Amino acid sequence: AAQEVVLLLDVEDETIWRYDEIHEEGIRIAASLISRCIQSGIPVGVRTNGRDQKTGECFHLEVGSGRQQVRLANEGLSRIDLVQKPDKMEFVLTRERESMDHTHRTYVMISKNQRISCYEGFKELLHQGAGGIWIATLYKEMNMTLPMDSDLSVIRWEVKK
């Protein structure tokens, strides 16, 4: 079976501080990865804890390909409402783990949060045979606290204020 990519976009603020610039950058990263995948012929899907402005539901796009997929992804991403309270990313990861066969998937997490429960939930997805990349969207002064791990690539992505 062909390789496919699923982006996991986390827009939760763990504290009372709001990090909209970081989340907006995460949304931009997701949009450009989607178009890059589709251009390369790699089917791609999206899971996020961010809520749709219109429906209040968490945006979710099944894996697909073609220009239509790029359009659907960009529409969904542009409608993420950073004001509505997102789900915990752990719920998104659990739903994904329970959903299907992940062996030909690469998961890309885009998150500023480095909660160990979230990291472990992500790792459990990978234990089902999937590959994983974690893009940590952080301001310069934020520390990277994710554990370093051989079967997970972690990329620090610095967000300009």
Side-chain angles (χ1 to χ4, degrees), residues 14-33:
E14 295 175 292
T15 61
I16 56 166
W17 304 107
R18 297 271 309 275
Y19 291 97
D20 288 357
E21 293 147 326
I22 287 183
H23 302 316
E24 282 159 12
E25 181 78 359
I27 291 168
R28 280 193 293 274
I29 293 167
S32 58
L33 282 174

Side-chain angles (χ1 to χ4, degrees), residues 60-72:
H60 177 106
L61 182 63
E62 282 310 325
V63 172
S65 50
R67 282 207 305 266
Q68 172 78 347
Q69 186 75 348
V70 176
R71 194 178 61 73
L72 290 171

Side-chain angles (χ1 to χ4, degrees), residues 2-4 34-44 64-66:
Q3 188 66 40
E4 55 186 37
I34 289 160
S35 80
R36 187 74 58 84
C37 285
I38 296 296
Q39 282 167 4
S40 307
I42 301 166
V44 65
S65 50

Side-chain angles (χ1 to χ4, degrees), residues 109-147:
M109 172 73 86
I110 302 169
S111 178
K112 75 169 214 1
N113 296 321
Q114 304 180 72
R115 263 198 314 276
I116 204 70
S117 55
C118 201
Y119 177 78
E120 283 168 356
F122 186 63
K123 291 277 299 185
E124 278 177 47
L125 259 186
L126 309 186
H127 287 317
Q128 299 182 356
I133 299 167
W134 188 301
I135 299 173
T137 44
L138 303 169
Y139 290 136
K140 191 189 221 107
E141 69 274 13
M142 290 174 158
N143 289 327
M144 181 90 146
T145 59
L146 287 169

Side-chain angles (χ1 to χ4, degrees), residues 71-113:
R71 194 178 61 73
L72 290 171
N74 287 337
E75 266 174 26
L77 290 171
S78 70
R79 287 208 314 261
I80 290 175
D81 186 350
L82 296 175
V83 178
Q84 291 186 55
K85 191 164 174 48
D87 267 357
K88 289 251 170 269
M89 203 60 195
E90 287 85 342
F91 297 153
V92 176
L93 292 167
T94 300
R95 277 198 300 269
E96 185 63 19
R97 240 187 351 265
E98 290 165 353
S99 67
M100 55 175 284
D101 160 40
H102 310 286
T103 46
H104 299 291
R105 257 187 198 171
T106 297
Y107 284 100
V108 181
M109 172 73 86
I110 302 169
S111 178
K112 75 169 214 1
N113 296 321

